[in-house]
Amino acid sequence: MSLVRNMKQWIIVVLGLAASSARAAGGSVYREQVEPFLANYCFDCHGDGATKGDVSLDFADEAAAVRKVGLWDRVWHNLETHLMPPAEKDQPGDAERAALAGWIERQVFQLDPQNPDPGRVTIRRLNREEYRFSVKDLLGVDFPVDDNFPPDDTGYGFDTIGDVLSLSPLLMEKYMAAAQEIVAEALPLIPGRIPQRTFGLSNGYLPFDKTKALEATKWVPATGEYKVEIAFKVSGSIEATENTALLRARVGERVVAEDEIGWDSRQRILLTGKTKLERGNQKFSVELVPAKPAKEGEKPLTARVEGMRFEGPLDGSFIEYSNEYKRIMVDGPPPGWQDQAGREAYARKILGNLAERAFRRPLDSATLDKLVAIALTTDHQPDTSFEEGIRQAMAAMLVSPRFLFRSETQPRPDDPAKVVPLDEFALASRLSYFLWSSLPDAALLDTARKGVLRAQLASEVERMLQDPKADRFVVNFVGQWLQARDVTTINLDARAILGSKRLEEALRFFSVELRRDMQRESEMLFAHVLREKRPVTELLTADYTFVSEKLAAYYGFPKVSGREMRKVPLQGRTSGILGQATFHAVTSNPTRTSPVKRGLFVLENILGAPAPPPPPNIPPLESAKKPGLKNPTVRELMALHRQEALCASCHARMDPIGLAFEHYNALGQWRKDENGKPIETAGKLVTGETFANADELVKILATSRKRDVHRAMVEKIMVYALGRGLEFYDRPELERIVTEVERKNATLRAVIDEVISSPAFQNRRGDGNRVARN
């Protein structure tokens, strides 16, 4: 296939030269090459007055043809995916397909293969997950965005699309209220406290009939007087009222507190004393010495030590600050009131560091002055503090457009003909929101500041993918691409699907915990293929999966125990993501399977060839029932449904794929029959390949249709990463990326790398319509 791609690039150049030569000789590339192609392969359905699918390729001349950009975009896509001409028709050779595609790209799209158009950039709002993680990484606060903000709109299947991420006045009010909650949690107003340390003691049981000690070594932060405390409880026979023992608390060899203890019904008893401790490691111990024994026939009592605690120095000579306080107040408490210059300098340092990270680029002095003014003005109000001023300046950051929106300001931003590289800070933001759903960390910003991010891009991507924050990409992308996030909330009537009479039994079987494990199964397979640099097609062909004990029992896998998810070999199920319960559940109706949804899912998400939207007022499948058809199967109902002329063509593409999975019910469990009738799974793809069952279909997808699978994956990840749908001018670059990915063994990691290094990811052009045609 790489030879075909190279041939296509060569043909584009040749066509450009041929066009000049043909014009000089009075000829036309369109008349001499394109129109004969259309006549040979397309006019039966789309020419000479025929308009199948409302598509006509009859044009008066080339000028009329090239004005139909949208139409030729569809033609280009159908050529690349081999959807057209139909499989039963004569097929053009690869060179013929490449020649027509080259003419479309050069003459219709007016593209220069050496200077690809990176597309427009929409200034877009952070979506809920990006806001959540940006706040968490910046201020350490995990704000519950689902409870406070409305769901984000989606476009092209993702919630990262700039065109739908608008900001309403109501949402702005919610951001303002959220900012106050966040800063109140991020920065405590009480700056510090006397240090306290609580720790457990291993094997904390002390029987009353033997001498025994428990020990632990702990770090004491400062020299001074401390309070030492033991928390314990007494258990045993309530008749042993005379059984006593001496309980001692020691530091080193010194006894800090002691008491004779016996039967006591309290759930928590404290033994407290005071002593001087030296800074450094100290040995703490609890010792029990028998005193009065239990009477004959009585079981001795036992003291259970729940923990030990020390607090000090009690004179307040050493104060400890919380991690939350230290995260913001990097140098501790501010200078006193007498040092106003010092307080201003400290505010400038704190807010400068925070604002640079919040705004994802160096801070201009005017903005910093405004933030410092907010902090100091609040600080000077009655009954306020320096920390309260910092809070208010932080709140101002969180409602600033520079935080809430991802903007990429460049020279000449309004010129749609001007293509410029993103500056390194904008590139760092694109990278971090793609892989982490959050703002750049200090290391990434520092690389951008030094101007070496592009030079070190490969190592930065490797570092970021190894970071646990890359799990956010897996969860967010898989959650939307495979709809895995929907499996925990989708409405499925487990009782009806399972034929159970008891609702409680059905809900217990198809529980929330099981649904979460289904979601994790899909996420973990994707993460494994990505991190182990496995081929994209392994998402379809993997002979292993990830299950917990509950999910394994649901699938019928033996010898799996424990709550944690682990990798296991597949046992009798269809391989990869199309064998997982997530796929089967999210593509089903509440009470039954939906081959239409399953087929459409595979077409759109696996093959990148979605069917057209259905016409209005399509009757439900159940209405296709006919007299005399008793207990019809879904296949039988769909056969009747396809007799409708409006339905036939699209269902020919979707139905065979969806019906291949009919052995899996709406909950993803295997079944042998439906309504007492054997299940038929054989089918034929619109591109001509035949299969007997789901396993053979998956094999076809991963072999003869693998370029479509690769293209679909590249396109989905590009849409997610760029925050926009792909346009006609992206098509050649999409094909170039797919070819490069295949040259690198078509791994999922190569898809990530090639998307990041593409001109579409690294460059931008000004706003406006570059080609004002339809």
Side-chain angles (χ1 to χ4, degrees):
M1 294 302 294
S2 62
L3 178 61
V4 174
R5 303 273 77 75
N6 292 335
M7 180 187 299
K8 180 173 148 185
Q9 295 299 318
W10 177 79
I11 288 173
I12 290 175
V13 175
V14 170
L15 282 174
L17 297 175
S20 300
S21 176
R23 283 192 295 269
S28 166
V29 173
Y30 176 77
R31 290 293 185 194
E32 296 176 5
Q33 299 183 38
V34 175
E35 206 167 46
F37 180 102
L38 301 178
N40 288 336
Y41 302 110
C42 307
F43 278 3
D44 282 353
C45 299
H46 307 293
D48 298 328
T51 59
K52 187 173 183 180
D54 292 328
V55 173
S56 172
L57 298 176
D58 281 327
F59 301 107
D61 51 33
E62 185 172 16
V66 298
R67 285 196 292 269
K68 300 292 184 179
V69 177
L71 174 61
W72 288 109
D73 187 28
R74 293 167 59 189
V75 172
W76 184 97
H77 183 265
N78 287 336
L79 276 172
E80 292 292 342
T81 56
H82 288 242
L83 289 174
M84 290 293 168
E88 63 273 12
K89 302 282 187 178
D90 291 339
Q91 296 295 309
D94 286 341
E96 290 178 286
R97 288 180 186 271
L100 179 58
W103 176 82
I104 294 172
E105 292 167 14
R106 173 65 72 181
Q107 299 302 117
V108 180
F109 296 168
Q110 297 183 6
L111 301 178
D112 179 358
Q114 304 305 315
N115 296 286
D117 185 347
R120 62 180 177 82
V121 175
T122 298
I123 297 177
R124 57 193 182 275
R125 171 179 56 82
L126 301 181
N127 64 32
R128 288 197 304 187
E129 288 301 289
E130 291 169 342
Y131 181 95
R132 173 193 169 199
F133 288 125
S134 295
V135 167
K136 183 176 182 179
D137 294 344
L138 179 67
L139 301 176
V141 176
D142 194 354
F143 185 71
V145 292
D146 292 353
D147 298 335
N148 289 274
F149 302 143
D152 294 306
D153 289 331
T154 61
Y156 306 94
F158 296 104
D159 60 10
T160 58
I161 305 303
D163 287 343
V164 301
L165 290 171
S166 57
L167 179 59
S168 67
L170 178 60
L171 183 55
M172 189 65 215
E173 290 181 13
K174 291 182 178 295
Y175 279 136
M176 295 175 72
Q180 293 298 331
E181 290 186 42
I182 291 166
V183 299
E185 184 177 346
L187 179 56
L189 294 183
I190 299 175
R193 65 178 185 179
I194 294 174
Q196 300 178 19
R197 299 289 187 275
T198 300
F199 52 95
L201 298 162
S202 60
N203 192 19
Y205 289 92
L206 298 173
F208 276 36
D209 60 350
K210 62 178 66 174
T211 300
K212 184 179 178 182
L214 307 173
E215 298 179 349
T217 299
K218 295 295 174 183
W219 175 264
V220 175
T223 300
E225 186 179 36
Y226 283 75
K227 180 171 73 173
V228 179
E229 185 176 84
I230 303 170
F232 68 96
K233 64 180 294 186
V234 176
S235 60
S237 175
I238 60 175
E239 291 81 12
T241 55
E242 296 186 11
N243 190 195
T244 62
L246 189 64
L247 188 67
R248 294 192 181 108
R250 295 178 182 270
V251 177
E253 300 301 320
R254 183 168 64 258
V255 176
V256 176
E258 64 180 2
D259 192 16
E260 187 173 357
I261 62 173
W263 171 254
D264 197 314
S265 62
R266 288 177 290 173
Q267 290 298 305
R268 192 168 188 267
I269 311 168
L270 299 178
L271 177 63
T272 304
K274 293 182 179 180
T275 188
K276 183 178 180 181
L277 299 179
E278 298 291 331
R279 182 177 183 273
N281 283 321
Q282 301 291 339
K283 185 174 74 173
F284 294 83
S285 63
V286 178
E287 180 185 43
L288 185 140
V289 179
K292 296 178 182 179
K295 291 183 178 179
E296 185 176 352
E298 295 178 347
K299 185 177 180 180
L301 299 174
T302 298
R304 181 185 176 215
V305 179
E306 296 181 343
M308 202 167 183
R309 185 175 78 94
F310 63 85
E311 178 182 358
L314 297 176
D315 62 1
S317 58
F318 183 86
I319 297 297
E320 186 173 61
Y321 300 97
S322 67
N323 290 333
E324 293 81 5
Y325 189 85
K326 290 188 290 186
R327 176 191 287 267
I328 308 300
M329 308 293 289
V330 291
D331 293 335
W337 265 99
Q338 69 280 5
D339 186 4
Q340 286 297 310
R343 291 169 80 88
E344 179 178 348
Y346 193 22
R348 192 170 293 276
K349 177 179 180 179
I350 293 170
L351 298 174
N353 291 336
L354 285 175
E356 181 172 293
R357 288 206 59 207
F359 300 160
R360 285 89 73 178
R361 61 176 52 250
L363 192 64
D364 60 281
S365 58
T367 301
L368 180 56
D369 290 343
K370 293 176 183 178
L371 292 171
V372 172
I374 292 173
L376 297 181
T377 299
T378 305
D379 183 23
H380 291 148
Q381 299 301 312
D383 301 321
T384 60
S385 64
F386 183 86
E387 288 82 0
E388 180 63 32
I390 297 297
R391 272 188 179 183
Q392 294 309 311
M394 288 163 51
M397 286 182 208
L398 296 182
V399 297
S400 168
R402 300 192 197 185
F403 175 75
L404 293 176
F405 287 85
R406 293 172 55 190
S407 62
E408 297 165 346
T409 303
Q410 300 289 347
R412 300 177 65 188
D414 298 326
D415 184 355
K418 179 70 173 180
V419 174
V420 295
L422 294 172
D423 70 32
E424 297 231 327
F425 292 101
L427 180 59
S429 284
R430 277 202 181 186
L431 198 57
S432 62
Y433 280 104
F434 175 28
L435 300 180
W436 288 349
S437 297
S438 183
L439 40 73
D441 64 0
L444 188 57
L445 277 180
D446 188 56
T447 304
R449 186 180 296 106
K450 294 176 180 176
V452 295
L453 177 55
R454 277 187 170 83
Q456 300 178 10
L457 196 57
S459 61
E460 279 299 302
V461 171
E462 179 67 24
R463 177 183 73 86
M464 295 176 73
L465 286 175
Q466 294 302 319
D467 192 289
K469 289 187 287 188
D471 289 340
R472 302 168 184 174
F473 163 68
V474 173
V475 172
N476 290 333
F477 180 76
V478 174
Q480 296 176 87
W481 171 53
L482 297 181
Q483 301 171 30
R485 63 166 58 163
D486 298 338
V487 76
T488 58
T489 57
I490 192 171
N491 178 27
L492 291 172
D493 188 343
R495 180 170 58 173
I497 296 168
L498 297 171
S500 174
K501 295 182 179 180
R502 298 180 57 191
L503 177 61
E504 297 81 2
E505 181 182 18
L507 292 178
R508 185 167 55 252
F509 179 75
F510 193 61
S511 64
V512 173
E513 182 182 3
L514 179 68
R515 290 177 180 228
R516 290 193 184 116
D517 287 348
M518 291 175 177
Q519 178 181 353
R520 289 287 296 136
E521 178 187 20
S522 299
E523 293 167 354
M524 292 180 74
L525 175 60
F526 184 91
H528 178 80
V529 172
L530 173 60
R531 292 194 167 111
E532 296 301 317
K533 301 181 180 179
R534 305 295 301 161
V536 169
T537 52
E538 194 162 308
L539 292 169
L540 300 174
T541 63
D543 59 358
Y544 57 88
T545 191
F546 296 83
V547 296
S548 63
E549 179 178 0
K550 184 179 288 290
L551 187 55
Y554 186 81
Y555 285 155
F557 295 173
K559 299 179 181 179
V560 176
S561 61
R563 179 67 191 88
E564 70 280 0
M565 302 284 288
R566 84 293 309 272
K567 183 181 177 183
V568 299
L570 280 177
Q571 301 169 44
R573 292 184 66 86
T574 299
S575 61
I577 55 178
L578 298 182
Q580 295 178 346
T582 293
F583 162 65
H584 300 126
V586 301
T587 56
S588 291
N589 287 336
T591 60
R592 63 165 175 82
T593 62
S594 175
V596 172
K597 289 182 179 179
R598 289 178 178 177
L600 184 61
F601 182 98
V602 173
L603 285 173
E604 183 168 348
N605 295 295
I606 308 302
L607 291 172
N617 303 319
I618 292 295
L621 184 63
E622 286 74 11
S623 68
K625 293 182 180 179
K626 301 292 183 181
L629 191 60
K630 186 177 180 180
N631 295 325
T633 65
V634 171
R635 177 181 280 271
E636 290 171 335
L637 290 175
M638 293 185 70
L640 293 172
H641 189 68
R642 284 196 299 275
Q643 293 178 6
E644 299 287 340
L646 287 174
C647 307
S649 61
C650 289
H651 279 276
R653 296 171 61 182
M654 298 182 292
D655 292 1
I657 296 174
L659 289 167
F661 298 98
E662 273 296 282
H663 272 302
Y664 295 100
N665 69 12
L667 302 181
Q669 288 194 301
W670 180 267
R671 59 182 180 174
K672 293 182 178 179
D673 56 58
E674 181 188 4
N675 296 336
K677 301 178 182 180
I679 293 174
E680 300 177 29
T681 57
K684 180 179 180 180
L685 293 180
V686 71
T687 46
E689 299 91 340
T690 59
F691 52 88
N693 50 45
D695 292 338
E696 290 188 9
L697 170 60
V698 168
K699 185 177 180 180
I700 290 170
L701 297 179
T703 53
S704 63
R705 309 311 309 167
K706 67 180 179 180
R707 185 168 180 94
D708 293 337
V709 173
H710 297 157
R711 182 189 298 108
M713 178 58 70
V714 171
E715 181 168 357
K716 291 295 182 182
I717 289 183
M718 283 185 75
V719 169
Y720 179 89
L722 299 177
R724 64 173 177 85
L726 298 193
E727 305 287 351
F728 67 88
Y729 48 76
D730 294 302
R731 301 302 184 189
E733 182 63 13
L734 173 63
E735 290 301 311
R736 185 201 65 78
I737 292 175
V738 173
T739 299
E740 190 63 20
V741 165
E742 291 181 337
R743 191 181 68 81
K744 296 180 177 179
N745 300 319
T747 65
L748 184 55
R749 173 59 188 275
V751 174
I752 301 293
D753 290 340
E754 290 305 313
V755 167
I756 289 172
S757 62
S758 70
F761 191 87
Q762 296 209 20
N763 299 337
R764 64 154 286 167
R765 65 170 167 83
D767 297 328
N769 292 324
R770 190 185 65 81
V771 180
R773 295 177 291 162
N774 57 5

